[in-house]
């Protein structure tokens, strides 16, 4: 077996959890928080962005500050760190992508809001992978980051530490703070959501995503 193939095989073994993986994501569209946590609707019209905001707004004053964003990130990190060793390793990333938020997978189908039935699917709103469109979590999130958990691995060593996750939260807070007042309110965040699926159109080659964040450039 060629050396590259052996390396790929070894990485696959390392990233494979000891227990079978079962996809548990629901069929309707989630809101995916800046750090990658999915919030799924409990009923048609449920405001999942507002639910995440209320959770992160620990003092309930109607605004998020950087410390609150970091605190919410630390809470979510603890749920992803299955062995509590203060790092998220490849098997835990696999668990995140298959069990917690399968919506971030590149080839995952588009989800529609809860309450939109077969007519939406027949209209093509639950289509699959679009190489010219938003990818992974970016379809349901405030920032154009297809895999928000793995993207926190700043030194690219295939391990996301608690400190890297905290620093990623601070950086993403700064990206979302468009008016630079060091506070985030719901109106400021709503303006950064991706457009509804029905308004999506095929982007022209090299057309940038107008939302702030990490731009995904599509090349041939």
């Amino acid at each position: 077996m060629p050396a590259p193939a052996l390396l790929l095989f070894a990485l696959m073994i390392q990233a494979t959890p000891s227990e079978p993986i079962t996809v548990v994501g629901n069929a309707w569209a989630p809101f995916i928080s800046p750090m990658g946590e999915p919030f799924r609707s409990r009923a048609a019209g449920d405001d999942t962005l507002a639910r995440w905001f209320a959770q992160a707004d620990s003092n309930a004053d109607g605004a998020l500050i950087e410390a609150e964003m970091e605190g919410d990130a630390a809470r979510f990190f603890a749920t992803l760190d299955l062995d509590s060793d203060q790092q998220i390793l490849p098997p835990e990333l696999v668990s995140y992508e298959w069990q917690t938020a399968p919506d971030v997978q590149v080839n995952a189908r588009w989800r529609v809001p809860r309450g939109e039935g077969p007519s939406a699917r027949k209209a093509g709103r639950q289509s699959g992978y679009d190489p010219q469109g938003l990818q992974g979590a970016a379809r349901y999130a405030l920032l154009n980051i297809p895999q928000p958990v793995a993207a926190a691995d700043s030194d690219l060593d295939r391990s996301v530490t608690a400190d890297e996750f905290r620093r990623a939260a601070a950086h993403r807070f700064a990206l979302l703070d468009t008016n630079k007042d060091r506070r985030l309110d719901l109106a400021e965040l709503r303006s950064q959501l991706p457009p509804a699926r029905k308004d999506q159109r095929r982007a022209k080659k090299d057309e940038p995503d107008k939302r702030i964040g990490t731009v995904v450039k599509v090349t041939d």
Side-chain angles (χ1 to χ4, degrees), residues 41-52:
S41 58
R42 298 164 177 166
D46 186 13
D47 191 339
T48 47
L49 168 59
R51 184 142 48 91
W52 166 73

Side-chain angles (χ1 to χ4, degrees), residues 141-143 175-176 178 188-194 211-212:
L142 295 164
L143 296 170
L175 290 175
L176 293 168
T178 55
E188 187 175 3
L189 295 177
R190 286 194 200 285
S191 69
Q192 298 178 67
L193 281 170
R211 293 180 302 139
I212 192 168

Side-chain angles (χ1 to χ4, degrees), residues 31-39 52 72 76 140-142 148 172:
F31 164 70
I32 296 184
S33 79
M35 299 310 297
E37 183 174 10
F39 287 78
W52 166 73
D72 190 62
F76 184 48
Y140 316 107
L142 295 164
R172 293 172 195 180

